[in-house]
Amino acid sequence: MRTVKTDILILGSGGAGLFAALHAHRAAPQLDITVAVKGLLGKCGCTRMVQGGYNVALAPGDSIERHFMDTIEGGKWLPHQELAWTLVSVAVERVRELENELGCFFDRNPDGTLHQKAFAGQTFDRTVHKGDLTGIEIINRLAEQVWARGIRRLEEHRAVELIRSRDGQALSGVLMIDMRSGEFVFVQARAVLLATGGGPTMYKYHTPSGDKSCDGMAMALRAGLTLRDMEMVQFHPTGLLAGSHTRMTGTVLEEGLRGAGGHLLNGAGQRFMERYDPRGERATRDIVSRSIFMEMRQGRTSPNGGVYLKMSHLGPDNVRRQFKGMVERCADCGFDLAGGLVEVVPTAHYMMGGVIFAEDCTTELPGLFAAGEDTGGVHGANRLGGNGVANSTVFGGIAGDSMASWVQLEGEWHAPDLQTIQAAIERCRSPLGKPAEDLPAIRETLYEVMWNEAGILRSAASLRRACSTLEELSQRLSRSGVPGGDLAYNLTWHDWLNLESLLTVSQAIVAAALARENSRGAHYREDFPDVGDLSTSYYTCVNLQEGALRISTRPVEFTRVRPGESLLRSSGQVLADGVK
């Protein structure tokens, strides 16, 4: 095992990880900062795949209070309100930083102001964007700046375990695998940022790339940390449905298509959204996904089993101009987005749940910080489109500042618990040399059980079936072997590790979903369809104790606004009495 020592270790190179690296370097350039990433820096992760844009209150008539209320109401009163306030207030600063300091070019209006397009579930058009390829613009500029500063990189290194100190009271570092050689590497650090991203690829239809496997959440559970809101998995309503033969199935057709006025049609060619919500296609993602699923369940489907997205009534030339990337993506799969119909299906997109963390990105484990999709609490029961990349960049920057300050004031290197390292190595090496098992069959069964039993519509019966099947799959995986002769770029081995993480997190999702006996946002229980009393809202917590998942609940703290209240008057002004 090789050992590396660094002041700050950042796991992940999406918006959160790269912003953290830049802010930490700016705050304390003398510190040694290392970014570790499962793939190649700037070429992997979910931020790069963002199409739609970045929510921020900039225009006359909008305000951070209005953005905040949209976020709280969209999250069904479950968001941590101080985290949500940090999101909407710092987003204003962060988007200026992206433009003026990092060099991002976003679309503009004729008068030179930033163009902000409509996204569903919001009361104001506030989504800043670069056409429909916003994520590529952001990640390219961030990666350029990281490279220019000489920040150390550990590319093609996957994190497999958070290692506590010998006394168990702090974090010592992270055990990793150098995927290029198969060698284990222990990176000792004074501070670690968990920013690996979510990636709900345990569902039949999903948007992230296959290398995303919720590793950060799985590591956090094994390290004894508490995760919240794990039942809240967002399905984007319009994933491309091009058949089982292509990985393009499940990839996102962005929210702006519906925001611009796109229509959803069932298999009979009829619009249906207004039967489910008066906002029609511009309802929040949870409602639109559920409505599409209901049409599918009742047999009103397109040839591949989904529904249709129609944009032609907005003018084909206009659609080609506004959504160039989407038009090209659909054309690659034989669909004419500008002039015809495109088959779509709800697709697993984002984890609202994750590690409990504070506004400064600290966690309950000293030395461990968290940001981005690995964290829970910012979005509650439903994330507004455009709030995801804002979340990553806002809290990534905060995490970088916090880690730089913490390391200089009190951070120190802790001797690792060698027994934990050895146990983690043995766990990771356990499949090597055992009789080979059909890993694709395990993955396909996982896809089906999570989609059918723990997906858009749930019940106690379906969730118990999911529990049973997931336990069987875990046991089956533990018996499964992979070739162990050459560990360099051993993709079968890493697929085994991916499945292990996905099964761990899937079990947490199902356990939390069983515990929540009401319906909020992305979590819909057919046996408990009521939302419950908003004034006594709670969030679920899950942790791993002696090998078993434990579920508890905690009350939501309404620190800024309570259900039935608003930070806005009818005139749009902030209420002064009764709120902080």
Side-chain angles (χ1 to χ4, degrees):
M1 182 181 72
R2 180 162 54 95
T3 300
V4 175
K5 205 170 187 179
T6 187
D7 292 308
I8 294 175
L9 173 64
I10 295 168
L11 302 179
S13 66
L18 296 185
F19 246 106
L22 293 174
H23 272 243
H25 184 271
R26 182 176 67 185
Q30 76 279 9
L31 295 179
D32 185 76
I33 301 167
T34 301
V35 177
V37 56
K38 203 173 180 180
L40 299 175
L41 192 145
K43 299 297 183 183
C44 64
C46 290
T47 306
R48 183 177 178 83
M49 299 170 72
V50 169
Q51 300 160 6
Y54 190 114
N55 287 346
V56 56
L58 296 175
D62 200 7
S63 67
I64 58 175
E65 292 82 10
R66 189 170 182 173
H67 187 185
F68 175 79
M69 289 306 305
D70 283 350
T71 299
I72 297 300
E73 291 174 347
K76 309 304 179 188
W77 293 92
L78 294 189
H80 183 296
Q81 294 194 1
E82 297 310 308
L83 292 174
W85 184 260
T86 301
L87 170 72
V88 301
S89 57
V90 179
V92 179
E93 168 191 333
R94 198 69 82 232
V95 78
R96 299 302 188 195
E97 184 180 352
L98 281 164
E99 275 211 307
N100 301 331
E101 297 182 32
L102 301 177
C104 288
F105 286 92
F106 297 122
D107 289 5
R108 292 188 175 273
N109 297 310
D111 64 0
T113 58
L114 283 172
H115 181 263
Q116 295 179 275
K117 62 183 176 182
F119 257 35
Q122 302 189 66
T123 61
F124 202 92
D125 297 351
R126 64 168 63 93
T127 306
V128 171
H129 62 105
K130 167 80 172 192
D132 54 5
L133 299 171
T134 309
I136 291 176
E137 176 69 9
I138 291 174
I139 287 296
N140 284 353
R141 303 292 83 77
L142 288 172
E144 289 169 357
Q145 297 297 328
V146 168
W147 291 327
R149 284 159 178 76
I151 292 168
R152 190 163 24 156
R153 308 193 299 275
L154 289 175
E155 295 180 302
E156 295 181 315
H157 280 64
R158 79 173 295 158
V160 293
E161 200 80 353
L162 302 174
I163 305 299
R164 287 179 179 255
S165 57
R166 286 177 181 169
D167 63 5
Q169 299 304 304
L171 187 66
S172 173
V174 179
L175 181 66
M176 313 193 80
I177 297 174
D178 183 344
M179 299 169 70
R180 301 166 300 183
S181 65
E183 180 185 20
F184 285 90
V185 181
F186 175 64
V187 183
Q188 188 176 19
R190 297 159 74 184
V192 173
L193 176 65
L194 190 65
T196 65
T201 57
M202 65 282 286
Y203 288 90
K204 179 178 180 180
Y205 302 111
H206 55 264
T207 66
S209 56
D211 65 324
K212 302 298 292 180
S213 50
C214 299
D215 295 333
M217 295 181 190
M219 288 190 296
L221 280 170
R222 289 195 298 268
L225 277 79
T226 301
L227 278 56
R228 63 169 286 173
D229 298 327
M230 287 303 292
E231 71 274 26
M232 302 302 178
V233 181
Q234 181 171 86
F235 287 79
H236 195 290
T238 51
L240 185 61
L241 184 57
S244 59
H245 63 284
T246 172
R247 180 58 190 92
M248 292 300 289
T249 286
T251 56
V252 166
L253 296 181
E254 66 133 308
E255 188 107 340
L257 295 167
R258 289 183 292 114
H263 292 166
L264 291 170
L265 311 178
N266 60 24
Q270 303 164 334
R271 287 185 71 188
F272 57 86
M273 271 309 305
E274 290 185 356
R275 287 195 277 109
Y276 296 96
D277 191 283
R279 294 170 293 182
E281 284 84 357
R282 289 191 64 174
T284 51
R285 289 177 173 178
D286 55 319
I287 293 172
V288 180
S289 292
R290 197 155 54 244
S291 303
I292 292 173
F293 195 83
M294 292 297 293
E295 293 293 304
M296 293 166 59
R297 176 183 275 187
Q298 294 165 28
R300 296 188 286 269
T301 62
S302 62
N304 281 311
V307 298
Y308 294 111
L309 176 66
K310 178 175 178 286
M311 299 293 295
S312 58
H313 58 284
L314 301 176
D317 290 341
N318 181 48
V319 174
R320 292 187 190 98
R321 183 176 63 254
Q322 287 191 59
F323 302 103
K324 181 176 181 291
M326 295 298 93
V327 169
E328 292 175 353
R329 173 175 294 186
C330 291
D332 288 342
C333 295
F335 294 118
D336 179 8
L337 177 65
L341 299 176
V342 178
E343 291 189 66
V344 294
V345 67
T347 180
H349 184 54
Y350 192 91
M351 308 279 288
M352 274 78 74
V355 176
I356 291 178
F357 78 126
E359 297 96 297
D360 62 357
C361 296
T362 54
T363 71
E364 60 190 285
L365 179 59
L368 180 67
F369 297 74
E373 198 177 345
D374 276 329
T375 64
V378 178
H379 308 293
N382 184 55
R383 177 177 70 81
L384 296 180
N387 270 3
V389 69
N391 175 25
S392 296
T393 56
V394 163
F395 287 103
I398 291 171
D401 294 332
S402 294
M403 288 189 295
S405 175
W406 188 83
V407 164
Q408 294 178 97
L409 291 174
E410 54 185 301
E412 57 183 86
W413 284 289
H414 295 278
D417 181 347
L418 297 179
Q419 289 184 333
T420 302
I421 291 178
Q422 187 58 40
I425 291 174
E426 291 175 0
R427 175 180 58 79
C428 292
R429 291 184 60 87
S430 65
L432 301 178
K434 287 183 181 178
E437 175 70 56
D438 188 353
L439 294 185
I442 294 176
R443 183 179 291 274
E444 288 297 324
T445 304
L446 176 63
Y447 284 165
E448 293 295 332
V449 69
M450 292 302 290
W451 173 259
N452 291 319
E453 312 289 19
I456 296 171
L457 300 179
R458 303 161 172 177
S459 67
S462 73
L463 292 167
R464 290 193 184 100
R465 289 193 296 269
C467 276
S468 177
T469 303
L470 291 173
E471 181 58 33
E472 291 172 6
L473 289 176
S474 294
Q475 293 178 9
R476 186 174 165 188
L477 184 69
S478 69
R479 297 191 299 267
S480 303
V482 299
D486 185 2
L487 299 183
Y489 290 111
N490 190 323
L491 299 185
T492 306
W493 183 29
H494 289 286
D495 194 32
W496 189 97
L497 294 169
N498 289 343
L499 280 168
E500 183 189 46
S501 291
L502 288 172
L503 284 165
T504 298
V505 175
S506 295
Q507 289 172 316
I509 291 170
V510 171
L514 264 171
R516 179 171 289 284
E517 294 185 337
N518 58 36
S519 293
R520 294 282 183 98
H523 170 75
Y524 188 84
R525 289 280 297 263
E526 293 186 279
D527 48 350
F528 293 99
D530 294 336
V531 299
D533 179 17
L534 295 179
S535 66
T536 57
S537 294
Y538 62 88
Y539 59 93
T540 60
C541 299
V542 57
N543 57 28
L544 195 60
Q545 299 177 20
E546 299 179 351
L549 292 172
R550 308 294 183 190
I551 298 290
S552 60
T553 62
R554 301 178 189 176
V556 174
E557 296 182 13
F558 302 116
T559 55
R560 290 182 178 266
V561 62
R562 299 187 62 81
E565 301 174 350
S566 175
L567 295 190
L568 305 175
R569 295 191 190 275
S570 58
S571 63
Q573 298 301 309
V574 181
L575 286 172
D577 44 350
V579 291
K580 292 200 294 186

